[in-house]
Amino acid sequence: SCGYSRKKSIYSFYNTMLMEHPCAAAHSEIIKMKELRFILSLLLFILCPSIIEAQVFKTQSGYAEFKAEASLNNYKGVSNQLAGEVNIKTRSVYFKIPIKSLDTGIGKRNRDMYNLMQVNKYPYAEFKGNIVSDFNPASQASRKVTVSGNFTLRGIQKPLKVAGVMDRDGSKLNIEASWNIYITQYNIEPPRFLINKVKDRHLIYIKASLQQQ
């Protein structure tokens, strides 16, 4: 029993000296700080996963434009109601635009276009696809990207591959792209305004700044 009491006293004395030693106190503080950082990181991951993996960017006010060539004079239609979503983690891309938001600058021409497009039945033009080119999602630099998917117009879906430009600006993702479509492929007869016959090929252009979600 005397041996046990002696060992216990020595152990207590050693612990007291260890805790009173300045190096030991500093070491203990470092351990506490590491534990605190770990706990905070764990809580952040559990409670705020969107902060850790905020990879989705959206817009409701992108710019879209089409240009039509005709036998007498060309014209274009514009809209600021392009809606879109890009997920740079899954590489998915989706854009749509209300056809009735397109304005050619002439009321009658707009109405004729809406009737031709059957907007009551097919209110949107849509693109859904994926980024198929190599790119670094974390990069802030401007880079060329290729997107492949399907473009739907007047209820008809066609495969489409588009080359564009993408760049990160803090919490924004800026995109810009253009491509040609032939409206007869979507069962749209090129309209004629008096003697002004519209050509089959139309140029589509979009530009948008998407906000990180």
Side-chain angles (χ1 to χ4, degrees):
S1 104
C2 291
Y4 173 75
S5 298
R6 185 179 179 182
K7 287 181 181 179
K8 184 176 181 181
S9 297
I10 292 172
Y11 180 73
S12 299
F13 173 76
Y14 174 76
N15 279 343
T16 301
M17 292 297 291
L18 184 63
M19 293 305 295
E20 291 178 353
H21 195 281
C23 293
H27 182 68
S28 177
E29 288 299 321
I30 291 172
I31 292 175
K32 288 179 180 179
M33 288 299 295
K34 287 182 177 180
E35 290 176 346
L36 181 61
R37 282 198 297 267
F38 173 77
I39 292 171
L40 289 175
S41 298
L42 186 61
L43 288 173
L44 184 66
F45 180 79
I46 294 172
L47 299 177
C48 305
S50 60
I51 297 176
I52 306 299
E53 297 184 7
Q55 304 291 330
V56 178
F57 296 79
K58 293 183 179 181
T59 185
Q60 295 290 330
S61 57
Y63 176 80
E65 172 185 295
F66 77 84
K67 290 183 178 180
E69 296 180 350
S71 54
L72 291 182
N73 63 295
N74 303 333
Y75 67 95
K76 67 179 181 180
V78 300
S79 171
N80 288 299
Q81 295 184 33
L82 176 70
E85 178 178 315
V86 176
N87 187 320
I88 61 175
K89 183 178 180 180
T90 64
R91 298 188 170 211
S92 64
V93 176
Y94 177 73
F95 283 97
K96 73 174 183 178
I97 183 172
I99 299 298
K100 290 192 76 170
S101 70
L102 290 165
D103 181 16
T104 67
I106 298 177
K108 184 180 184 309
R109 184 164 59 193
N110 287 346
R111 292 189 294 273
D112 291 342
M113 177 179 66
Y114 302 154
N115 290 333
L116 185 66
M117 300 291 290
Q118 295 182 278
V119 293
N120 291 331
K121 188 175 182 180
Y122 309 110
Y124 296 100
E126 299 176 286
F127 175 83
K128 185 176 182 180
N130 293 280
I131 300 171
V132 294
S133 57
D134 293 332
F135 83 109
N136 179 6
S139 175
Q140 300 284 325
S142 176
R143 67 273 198 190
K144 294 181 180 180
V145 295
T146 301
V147 179
S148 182
N150 291 299
F151 182 67
T152 303
L153 184 63
R154 204 169 174 264
I156 296 176
Q157 186 180 93
K158 294 288 183 181
L160 181 69
K161 183 175 284 189
V162 177
V165 177
M166 176 186 297
D167 71 84
R168 291 278 298 274
D169 181 12
S171 62
K172 292 183 179 180
L173 182 69
N174 303 311
I175 63 99
E176 190 172 0
S178 63
W179 66 95
N180 289 311
I181 65 167
Y182 292 86
I183 61 175
T184 54
Q185 294 181 345
Y186 299 89
N187 288 348
I188 300 171
E189 182 68 24
R192 178 189 295 272
F193 304 100
L194 299 177
I195 60 172
N196 193 26
K197 178 67 182 286
V198 177
K199 295 183 180 180
D200 190 5
R201 186 180 69 176
H202 284 56
L203 174 67
I204 310 296
Y205 170 78
I206 63 170
K207 184 177 183 179
S209 181
L210 295 84
Q211 184 67 45
Q212 191 172 19
Q213 301 302 297

